[in-house]
Amino acid sequence: MTDFAELTEAEHAAGRRLRARKRAVNIAIDVFLTLFSIAMLLPLVFLIANAFKTPAEMLAWPPTIVPHDPTLENFRAVLGETPLLRWILNSVLFAIMSSIAIIATSSIAGYIFAKFRYRSLNVIFALFLATAIVPFEVYMIPLYFQVKSLGLLNSVWGLLIGYLVMSFGIFLIRQNVIHSIPDELLEAARLDGASEFWIFVHVVFPLLRGALGALGVLAFFQAWTAFAWPMIVATTRSSYTIEVGLALFQTGYTVDLGKLSAASATVLIPSVITFMILRRNFVQGVASTGMKE
C-alpha cells in the first residue's frame, strides 16, 4: 500500500514537472514571437513616424518613435513637387487589371487542367509549371520589344502585358478544383443540358471563391510591388508606377528621407485597404488549400 502511494505521488510529481516544463516552453515561445513581431514591425513604425518628423528630429540620436514636433511639411512637399497621386492611380489600375486577368486565366486554365482528361494537357501543365523557375528578367527584354512594337509604352496596357498569367495561380486553382469540386456535380449539370461555359460560370467559379480571393490578393501585391518591368515600360514621369516614383527620392549620393517616408506612408493606405477587404477570402483560401493538401 505504501509503495503504491509513493508511486502515485511520484507520478503526480512527474506530471507537475512535465506541465511546468510545457508551460515554460510555451512562455518562451510567446516571448520569442512577441519580440520577433516587434522587430518586424519596428521599421514600419519608424517609417510612419519619420513621415511626421522635422529634418532635425529625423537625424537625432536616439531616434524617437513619437515625433516631438509633428509636421505635415513632408506630405505637402511630396504632393506639391511630385505627381504622387497619379503614380498611385497608375499602380492601382495596373494592380486591379492584373488581378482580374490572372484570376480569369488561372480559373479557366486550372479548371481545364483539373477536369479534362487529355494526355496533352498534362504536358502543357508541366510546361506551365516549368515557367515558374524562369526569372522574369530572362524574357523581359523580348517582351519589351513586343510592347514597343504594339505602341503600348508608357501605358497601363503595356504594363499589363507582362502580368497577365501566373503559373502559381494556375497550379493553385487546379489543386482546389481537384479537391473541392466532385466530377459527379459536373456530370449532373451536363446531363441537365448545361454547356461547359455555363457550368464554369455558375458552378465552378462560385465554389472557388475562397481560392480566387487568395489568388487575387497575391496577384494584386505582385503587381503593386513590381519594379523592373514598370521601370523599362514607363519612361515618362506621368506614367510611372508608385514603385518607380519612390526610387526618384534616392539618388546616387543622397536620400530625401523625409519625403521618401511621407510618400511610402501614403502608399501604404491603398494596400492596407485592399488587404482588409480581401483578408477573409485570403485566409480562407490559403487555409483550405493547406487542409486539402
Side-chain angles (χ1 to χ4, degrees), residues 141-215:
I141 299 303
L143 195 61
Y144 165 78
F145 285 111
Q146 293 182 13
V147 173
K148 184 179 180 182
S149 64
L150 293 172
L152 297 177
L153 292 179
N154 300 316
S155 69
V156 178
W157 299 106
L159 296 172
L160 185 62
I161 286 181
Y163 285 79
L164 288 173
V165 181
M166 181 192 287
S167 56
F168 172 74
I170 296 174
F171 172 77
L172 178 70
I173 299 303
R174 177 182 178 272
Q175 297 304 107
N176 273 270
V177 171
I178 290 175
H179 294 287
S180 63
I181 301 178
D183 293 338
E184 293 77 8
L185 183 63
L186 305 178
E187 290 299 329
R190 291 185 182 114
L191 289 175
D192 289 338
S195 65
E196 291 296 334
F197 181 75
W198 191 95
I199 293 173
F200 173 76
V201 173
H202 294 89
V203 178
V204 177
F205 202 82
L207 292 175
L208 295 175
R209 187 172 54 188
L212 292 175
L215 179 61

Side-chain angles (χ1 to χ4, degrees), residues 9-285:
E9 183 61 29
E11 290 178 347
H12 286 312
R16 287 194 293 271
R17 286 196 296 271
L18 182 60
R19 287 192 292 274
R21 190 179 305 166
K22 286 183 177 178
R23 193 180 302 113
V25 171
N26 290 335
I27 292 174
I29 292 174
D30 291 341
V31 171
F32 172 76
L33 292 178
T34 302
L35 295 176
F36 184 75
S37 301
I38 292 174
M40 294 295 291
L41 289 174
L42 207 53
L44 180 62
V45 173
F46 275 116
L47 169 71
I48 297 174
N50 287 339
F52 294 94
K53 290 180 182 177
T54 60
E57 186 177 0
M58 206 174 304
L59 298 175
W61 186 264
T64 55
I65 294 180
V66 179
H68 294 307
D69 187 16
T71 176
L72 295 176
E73 189 56 37
N74 293 324
F75 291 95
R76 293 193 189 98
V78 167
L79 295 175
E81 299 173 8
T82 65
L84 182 66
L85 298 181
R86 176 70 183 182
W87 296 343
I88 293 177
L89 178 62
N90 291 339
S91 288
V92 169
L93 289 176
F94 172 41
I96 290 177
M97 293 170 67
S98 175
S99 301
I100 294 174
I102 287 176
I103 287 174
T105 55
S106 298
S107 59
I108 295 173
Y111 170 57
I112 292 175
F113 286 135
K115 293 300 181 183
F116 289 82
R117 306 285 188 261
Y118 297 106
R119 188 171 298 176
S120 58
L121 289 179
N122 294 330
V123 177
I124 297 173
F125 179 65
L127 292 175
F128 264 115
L129 288 184
T131 60
I133 63 174
V134 180
F136 181 68
E137 288 74 12
V138 172
Y139 53 90
M140 183 172 63
I141 299 303
L143 195 61
Y144 165 78
F145 285 111
Q146 293 182 13
V147 173
K148 184 179 180 182
S149 64
L150 293 172
L152 297 177
L153 292 179
N154 300 316
S155 69
V156 178
W157 299 106
L159 296 172
L160 185 62
I161 286 181
Y163 285 79
L164 288 173
V165 181
M166 181 192 287
S167 56
F168 172 74
I170 296 174
F171 172 77
L172 178 70
I173 299 303
R174 177 182 178 272
Q175 297 304 107
N176 273 270
V177 171
I178 290 175
H179 294 287
S180 63
I181 301 178
D183 293 338
E184 293 77 8
L185 183 63
L186 305 178
E187 290 299 329
R190 291 185 182 114
L191 289 175
D192 289 338
S195 65
E196 291 296 334
F197 181 75
W198 191 95
I199 293 173
F200 173 76
V201 173
H202 294 89
V203 178
V204 177
F205 202 82
L207 292 175
L208 295 175
R209 187 172 54 188
L212 292 175
L215 179 61
V217 174
L218 294 176
F220 184 90
F221 285 106
Q222 175 187 254
W224 183 263
T225 58
F227 179 74
W229 177 244
M231 188 175 64
I232 66 170
V233 172
T235 56
T236 60
R237 193 177 173 89
S238 61
S239 64
Y240 287 169
T241 60
I242 190 61
E243 290 292 327
V244 179
L246 289 179
L248 295 179
F249 295 102
Q250 180 176 357
T251 66
Y253 302 98
T254 60
V255 178
D256 195 331
L257 193 56
K259 295 179 183 177
L260 180 60
S261 300
S264 300
T266 306
V267 170
L268 285 175
I269 297 174
S271 54
V272 170
I273 292 175
T274 302
F275 181 77
M276 293 301 293
I277 293 174
L278 299 176
R279 178 176 57 89
R280 179 171 298 178
N281 287 335
F282 179 76
V283 173
Q284 287 178 350

